[in-house]
Amino acid sequence: MTPQRLSISEAPIRVMVVETHQLILWALTKLINSHRPGMEVVAVAGTQCDALFQLPTAAPDLVLMKYELAVTAHQACLPEALTCGRHTLLFAQELETDTLASTLRCGAHGLLSRRSSADEIVKAIEKTHQGELWFGREATCLALNALRGGEPARPHPHHDGLDALTPRERRVLQTVVANKVRTNRDLAKILFISESTLRNHLSSIYQKLGVSNRLDLYVYAQSHLVTNAAEMA
């Protein structure tokens, strides 16, 4: 049987990423571009104004934007230029009932948490591009809890992962995050361990934190390590 091949004529999903933090911007760009030819980043921006300026030239199909840049006290809805003919997917630091409600009111087509895995981010881009509304696991949990009249749920499935790390794993994690563009060989030299030992440490860290690769780890770090730097020292 001849294996089925993907059509190279099918146009990729053109994505613009709008994010203020350079590390997260880099990680998202690497993640999306790693899924070529299915999707690719055609522009990046650090502000909503910059994104609007680039829209005519970049012509993205989908805008992946930091929630705090999309929803402000002075803006009840997204500019028409962002939503007309394209989809907008928001990426929030913390999810609450108000976050979900604001996302729906402002005209965005989906909402993700920064704790979302790489697989979930890619799937959200694909589904949103196909015209579906996308709300990740945390947002769905919030919505269901609100309908039941209960307390807003804030699931942090791996929030206690840092506590589970050994001192050596914490040191490895610090080194990986501080040297985001280094290879495993470079990191092993910095830590004075073998690459095999480093891989073993990383496998354990991934499992405890609920991530699957270094890109996931960088995004996780921005949600947890930056605000918990004292604990990591």
Side-chain angles (χ1 to χ4, degrees), residues 79-109:
E80 185 178 353
L82 278 174
T83 57
C84 183
R86 62 180 54 87
H87 299 92
T88 306
L89 183 61
L90 303 186
F91 209 55
Q93 177 73 33
E94 294 293 338
L95 296 187
E96 300 184 12
T97 305
D98 289 345
T99 311
L100 178 58
S102 297
T103 297
L104 292 170
R105 284 197 300 266
C106 78
H109 302 89

Side-chain angles (χ1 to χ4, degrees), residues 132-190:
E132 298 183 21
L133 289 177
W134 178 275
F135 294 95
R137 191 176 304 170
E138 288 191 45
T140 301
C141 185
L142 281 171
L144 291 175
N145 227 7
L147 288 173
R148 288 198 300 263
E151 290 296 318
R154 288 185 173 185
H156 297 274
H158 309 298
H159 185 71
D160 297 328
L162 293 176
D163 296 332
L165 299 183
T166 66
R168 174 52 110 177
E169 289 170 345
R170 284 172 174 254
R171 174 59 181 160
V172 169
L173 181 54
Q174 283 181 306
T175 303
V176 170
V177 173
N179 298 273
K180 59 182 181 296
V181 297
R182 298 294 188 93
T183 64
N184 279 359
R185 177 178 296 181
D186 290 336
L187 292 171
K189 288 180 179 179
I190 294 171

Side-chain angles (χ1 to χ4, degrees), residues 41-78:
V41 174
V42 295
V44 297
T47 66
Q48 187 181 124
C49 288
D50 187 18
L52 291 171
F53 178 78
Q54 293 189 60
L55 275 178
T57 303
D61 302 311
L62 182 143
V63 177
L64 178 58
M65 176 180 284
K66 182 177 182 179
Y67 169 85
E68 289 78 9
L69 293 176
V71 179
T72 68
H74 308 291
Q75 182 174 290
C77 61
L78 290 172

